[in-house]
Amino acid sequence: MVAPDIDVTVELARALLAEQHPDLADLPIRIAANGWDNTVLRLGADLALRLPRREAAAELIRHEQRWLPVLAPALPAGVPVPVPVRRGAPSAAHGYPWAWSVLRWIDGTRVADVPVRERRHLAEPLAAFHRALHRPAPGEAPRNPVRGVPLATRAEAFRARLVRNHGGDAARLRALFDASAAAPMWDRAPVWLHGDPHPGNLLATRDGGLAVIDFGDLAAGDPATDLAVAWLAFDAHGRATYRAALAEVHPTEDPVWHRAYGWALNVATAMLDSTDGDAWIRRMGERALHELLTAD
């Protein structure tokens, strides 16, 4: 986990609420999660706060605030997403320089913590989410330098991780990545992407459904980045269900799946590059790499 630029505390969150949304300031607050970029706090029973902890995330919050309310109405009603219900502004008085959001709290279990065989029923709702999301994006949609871009642009970073972590498997992994990167590039209009739909950003909800969270990497580009979730989240059974449910939009023979395999390799090795403090992220990487190396 990278060090924060600002330590987001309960005290800071309460002060920001008192200044900008005083009707919410007396609700119970607790820290729910510290991610790489943001701190999420639970606010009362039904709300959450999402505050950047690093400058690099500040613009990503604005992307969520600008675009998620536009996209959400076209997404499946049965797959909740954390649409901002109120916006927070930078505060000179409290030394907090970035925008932040108040969201609806979505109750559930991180899919990364669900045994892989027990995730299979989530393949169809995730496919429904991606069918709805992967539509042409307007010219003003945000772009991301490491999401939705040609896979070959990630080759240098990928190869560096192989040297650090993968020893005897490095040649095999490099060959698999290079074959994926050589697949025909996306030649259609850029489509909307979640940008980071790995099992840590998916929730298994209490009613047996799926929620998709953390839209910080929302962008337009090649959907192969999103489709990598087929290997990141599912076993062979779940993956087959997911791909079949997307066949109308992303046919099985489309080169997008070859690139998606390479994107999954890229993300899995990045997860395995995490520090000891991110053990759950490393477990995601190990699980995904197993799927990638044993896939038909």
Side-chain angles (χ1 to χ4, degrees), residues 85-271:
V85 296
R86 299 195 194 184
R87 299 183 182 187
S91 172
H94 299 294
Y96 190 77
W98 307 312
W100 50 281
S101 298
V102 182
L103 318 166
R104 292 290 178 198
W105 176 264
I106 302 175
D107 211 6
T109 300
R110 191 168 58 189
V111 169
D113 299 326
V114 176
V116 68
R117 287 178 175 269
E118 297 175 22
R119 304 175 187 176
R120 292 172 174 174
H121 69 287
L122 302 176
E124 287 195 7
L126 183 58
F129 169 82
H130 279 141
R131 280 199 309 271
L133 180 64
H134 290 171
R135 62 182 192 271
E140 64 270 27
R143 300 301 180 96
N144 188 309
V146 295
R147 300 286 192 275
V149 295
L151 180 58
T153 65
R154 308 308 307 147
E156 183 176 352
F158 177 80
R159 291 167 185 164
R161 291 194 294 271
L162 296 187
V163 172
R164 285 195 295 271
N165 300 315
H166 295 281
D169 287 334
R172 181 185 180 192
L173 293 171
R174 179 170 178 169
L176 290 168
F177 179 91
D178 289 348
S180 295
M185 295 174 60
W186 184 254
D187 59 1
R188 285 158 272 175
V191 300
W192 280 111
L193 314 173
H194 174 277
D196 202 20
H198 60 67
N201 288 335
L202 306 174
L203 296 179
T205 57
R206 290 182 179 273
D207 62 1
L210 173 75
V212 181
I213 62 173
D214 193 348
F215 283 74
D217 285 312
L218 184 70
D222 178 359
T225 298
D226 276 5
L227 301 180
V229 75
W231 292 270
L232 299 175
F234 300 118
D235 63 7
H237 185 283
R239 188 160 52 252
T241 300
Y242 174 75
R243 292 185 63 171
L246 277 168
E248 183 178 342
V249 180
H250 302 301
T252 302
E253 66 277 8
D254 194 308
V256 70
W257 291 108
H258 297 295
R259 298 192 304 276
Y261 181 92
W263 274 105
L265 281 170
N266 180 64
V267 174
T269 56
M271 290 172 172

